[in-house]
Structures are given as structure tokens and as C-alpha cells.
Amino acid sequence: MRVGELSKRSGVAVPTIKYYLREGLLPAGVLTSPNQAHYDDEHLRRLRLVRALIDVGGLSIASVRDVLAAIDTRDESLHNKLGAVQEAISQPGTVELDPLAIADVQAFFARHGETECADVTQSNVTHMLAAALSSGRSIGHDQIRDLLDPYLEGLKIIAQADLEYVVRHTSPDDVIESMVVGTLIGDTVLKALRRLAHAQVSRDMIGDGPAQN
Amino acid sequence: MRVGELSKRSGVAVPTIKYYLREGLLPAGVLTSPNQAHYDDEHLRRLRLVRALIDVGGLSIASVRDVLAAIDTRDESLHNKLGAVQEAISQPGTVELDPLAIADVQAFFARHGETECADVTQSNVTHMLAAALSSGRSIGHDQIRDLLDPYLEGLKIIAQADLEYVVRHTSPDDVIESMVVGTLIGDTVLKALRRLAHAQVSRDMIGDGPAQN
């Protein structure tokens, strides 16, 4: 298809597509004449992935490029590739790290036998965790560290469902792409559902004042 | 304390504090002379909360104002107040909603007896959920809806831990504040730990290539 058709089918404006092509987020089309290129379904799929990363994941162009590079690497085990992608989509914030929060995170990783990823300077994911605990400490919530273990317990149920979803609905070539999309979309789904879970649990534990129904 | 001391103890620059005062995010100090105001620990606490909402939660000034208004309301049941705060911290994105995704969300709420919050035009939380499913559908992942039930199951463990934390560590006056901070900080903690849970589960299910240790 031509770029106009690609735009129509993806809902992405032609100048934006050209921008992605210049930034290397989308591979060049096949030239069919000196100033005309042909795009295929693979371009359409990649374009939708780029939009999902930007719209749903809120990623910067630079992060999208990192994620695509991790997806396109062919010489790594699936597990390591997944790790690389997840590092790319976990952007460290600007919160100053509290040494006590870093110690909390390291103790948590040690408890779970995950010492290799406990270094905040080596892992964006670990940095993100230490930053969240640092923010908690700065406003007097040192004890948020006690939530890490029950959180991990709940998340294992969720991660199990994620992995089963990927295995059931995805061809082996698409596993990484599915995991990335699932992780980003899943983050938003979890945020929303967590509010619902809070509401349900708080209704049971605290009550909602005057009886309803 | 004077504004300089408030700045030193909070780590927030004086011009920023003055900006928050003008925007109504921080109550005025008590004037001790025509051009000098006195601030107390309550100001310090509120200032740290504002910073947490902005830095950790990524909230806009307008959303921070909504959250503070919900926290400061005194004539609502705790359960309803919590609901109002959680609406304020759930900002609807710009994703176009897919009618099929809306139907998925409504079916999910109906399954869980939560029909009153199933309207995407009435609830930011529900809108957020429908937007995430719409993004999934736009890239061919219609079946993400199948994850909602296991996600809620895992999140109930997490919500239970959250509520117990609040009950254990917080005086009744601070419950809402703790829930807000815990929700925002907790979202980041969950994001980070979810990556860890994925790594653990994927190592079990997929393996990580050449044996390690």
C-alpha cells in the first residue's frame, strides 16, 4: 500500500508517519518509483505498536526506539530479551533516592533470592522501586516497605495470567511484542482495577456510611 | 517557622512555595508582621503531600487541587471520599474509546455486581479501563478482556494489604491522605514489582536459555 493508505488504515497522519520514518521507528518502504514507496502489513503492525507505546505507554521517541531495538534483537534468549524490553519501558524518574529506601529494596531482593538485580544504578526497574519508597519516606511513610511482599504475592497471580495469555494468543515471533503491549496496557488496567479493588475492600472493611440498596 | 525554614525542611524552593500559596495548594501562613508569615508542621506536611502528588503521581496543579479538595471535605463517608479522591487522581487519557471495549468493561462490571460505576462518561476510573482495552483492540489484542478477572483476583490481595497498612499505621484523620499517597506510590511500586514477577514467572515458564549459576 502507499503511504496514504497506510495513514488511512492506521489512523496516523501522513506527516507523523514520515516523522517516524525519519526517526527510524518505522522501516523504510520498498521504492516502486523514485518518489513512491510501498508499505505492507508489517509496517501497519509496527506503526500501531509505535502508537500504542506512545499513547498508552506514554513513552518518549527515544524510549520507543530502545524498545523496538530490544524487540528486534535476534541473538538473545527470550527471557533476557524480555528483561531488556522491560528496562527500556521503565523510565527512571527524577526523585532523589533515600539510602534507607535503597536498603529496603536490597533487603527485599535478598529475601527473594534476586540479588543480581538489586543494584539501583544497574536497573531502571530497581531504581523505580527505590524512588517510590524514597517518596514514601519523604512524607513519613517508611513502612510502605512492608507492602512489598504482599504486593509480589498478588502480582504473581497477575503475571501468571499474563504469561498464559501470551502463550495462548500469540505466535512465538510475537511473544515479546505482546509482552510489551500487555505490560503497558496492563499497567493502566491494573491502575484502574486497583481503584475498584480498593472500593470493594474498603466497603467491606470501613463501610460506606448510610446503608445502600 | 518562616518560609525560609519551611523551604529548608521540605526541600522545596521558596518561589515554588509561593507559587503553591498563590494557587491555593497550601493554606496561607499566620501573619506575624505585615510582610512576614508563620508556618507550622501542618504546612510542612501538606507541602510534602503536594510534592508527592506532583513528583510521584505526576499530577497537574489542577488535579492536585481536586485531590486536596476531596481530602479536606468533611461531610462525606470515608468510603465516598475515597471514591472522590480516586476519581481525581485518575486522569482520563486521549485515547478514542472503542464501543466493543466499552461493552467488555460493562460486562466485567456486571459480572462483579458493580453496575453503578460501569458508565464511562461518569467515572474516570471506568474511562481509563475502557481506554486501555481500546488501545489493546486497536493493535489486535481483543482478548485482553480475559485478563480482567485474574487481575482483580490478584489485586484483591494487594488491596487487602493496602487497607491493613492504612488501618495499622494511620490515625483516622490521616486515612484519606494515606490512601492517596499509597495509591500513587503503590502504582509505581506495582509497576516495578510486576516486572520482577514477570521475570520470575517467565524464567519458570519459558526458561532463560543457557543455565545460570
Side-chain angles (χ1 to χ4, degrees):
Chain A
M1 70 192 97
R2 298 192 190 166
V3 70
E5 170 83 4
L6 183 61
S7 167
K8 200 180 295 171
R9 288 182 59 189
S10 64
V12 178
V14 171
T16 305
I17 293 178
K18 291 192 168 164
Y19 172 66
Y20 293 158
L21 286 165
R22 284 197 305 278
E23 292 289 327
L25 304 186
L26 205 60
V30 175
L31 283 183
T32 51
S33 80
N35 53 11
Q36 194 154 296
H38 179 87
Y39 301 90
D40 59 21
D41 284 345
E42 201 51 45
H43 287 94
L44 181 61
R45 226 165 116 249
R46 176 56 54 107
L47 187 54
R48 285 183 173 146
L49 175 62
V50 169
R51 293 306 299 183
L53 294 172
I54 292 171
D55 290 344
V56 185
L59 298 195
S60 65
I61 297 292
S63 296
V64 171
R65 200 183 288 116
D66 290 348
V67 169
L68 297 178
I71 292 178
D72 292 338
T73 307
R74 292 275 167 225
D75 59 343
E76 271 284 12
S77 74
L78 199 50
H79 176 75
N80 289 344
K81 228 155 111 167
L82 209 48
V85 169
Q86 301 208 323
E87 284 294 314
I89 61 181
S90 303
Q91 308 188 48
T94 56
V95 176
E96 205 181 320
L97 298 188
D98 179 331
L100 293 171
I102 294 177
D104 288 341
V105 169
Q106 286 168 341
F108 167 76
F109 279 114
R111 265 199 311 285
H112 293 278
E114 295 280 350
T115 45
E116 59 182 295
C117 49
D119 185 343
V120 289
T121 64
Q122 296 298 313
S123 162
N124 289 343
V125 172
T126 307
H127 190 285
M128 187 194 274
L129 191 55
L133 294 188
S134 298
S135 298
R137 282 184 168 272
S138 77
I139 47 176
H141 285 276
D142 305 7
Q143 310 295 330
I144 287 184
R145 62 169 174 230
D146 294 342
L147 291 172
L148 297 180
D149 287 326
Y151 274 25
L152 185 60
E153 193 192 331
L155 284 166
K156 279 186 179 172
I157 294 176
I158 289 162
Q160 187 80 29
D162 284 336
L163 271 285
E164 279 167 11
Y165 173 87
V166 166
V167 169
R168 199 178 324 128
H169 294 293
T170 315
S171 70
D173 279 354
D174 294 339
V175 166
I176 290 285
E177 189 182 307
S178 281
M179 285 299 291
V180 175
V181 171
T183 299
L184 290 172
I185 293 181
D187 281 347
T188 306
V189 170
L190 282 177
K191 254 167 96 162
L193 287 186
R194 187 165 174 236
R195 314 280 186 267
L196 177 65
H198 275 158
Q200 291 193 336
V201 174
S202 91
R203 195 159 43 207
D204 292 347
M205 287 176 67
I206 309 178
D208 54 354
Q212 293 189 342
N213 8 322
Chain B
M1 74 192 95
R2 297 193 190 164
V3 70
E5 170 81 3
L6 182 63
S7 166
K8 202 180 293 172
R9 288 183 58 190
S10 63
V12 179
V14 171
T16 306
I17 293 178
K18 292 192 168 164
Y19 172 66
Y20 293 159
L21 286 165
R22 284 198 305 278
E23 291 288 329
L25 302 188
L26 206 59
V30 176
L31 283 182
T32 51
S33 80
N35 53 11
Q36 195 154 296
H38 179 86
Y39 302 90
D40 59 20
D41 283 345
E42 202 50 45
H43 287 95
L44 182 60
R45 226 165 115 252
R46 177 56 54 108
L47 187 53
R48 286 183 173 146
L49 176 62
V50 168
R51 291 307 299 183
L53 294 173
I54 292 171
D55 290 344
V56 186
L59 298 194
S60 65
I61 297 294
S63 296
V64 171
R65 200 183 287 117
D66 289 348
V67 170
L68 296 177
I71 290 178
D72 293 337
T73 308
R74 292 273 168 227
D75 60 342
E76 271 285 10
S77 74
L78 199 51
H79 177 75
N80 287 345
K81 228 155 108 167
L82 209 48
V85 169
Q86 303 211 322
E87 283 294 313
I89 60 180
S90 304
Q91 308 186 48
T94 55
V95 175
E96 205 180 320
L97 298 187
D98 179 330
L100 293 172
I102 294 176
D104 288 341
V105 169
Q106 286 168 340
F108 168 74
F109 279 113
R111 266 200 308 286
H112 294 277
E114 296 280 350
T115 46
E116 58 183 295
C117 49
D119 186 342
V120 290
T121 64
Q122 297 296 313
S123 162
N124 289 343
V125 173
T126 308
H127 191 283
M128 187 194 275
L129 192 55
L133 294 188
S134 297
S135 297
R137 283 184 168 272
S138 77
I139 47 175
H141 285 275
D142 305 6
Q143 310 293 330
I144 286 182
R145 62 169 176 231
D146 294 342
L147 291 171
L148 297 179
D149 288 326
Y151 275 25
L152 186 60
E153 194 193 332
L155 284 166
K156 279 186 178 172
I157 294 176
I158 288 161
Q160 186 80 29
D162 284 336
L163 271 285
E164 280 166 10
Y165 173 88
V166 166
V167 169
R168 199 178 323 129
H169 295 292
T170 315
S171 71
D173 279 355
D174 296 338
V175 166
I176 290 284
E177 189 182 308
S178 281
M179 285 299 292
V180 175
V181 171
T183 299
L184 289 173
I185 293 181
D187 280 347
T188 306
V189 172
L190 282 176
K191 253 168 95 161
L193 288 185
R194 187 166 174 235
R195 314 279 186 267
L196 177 65
H198 274 158
Q200 292 194 335
V201 174
S202 90
R203 195 158 42 207
D204 293 347
M205 286 176 68
I206 308 179
D208 53 356
Q212 293 187 344
N213 17 319

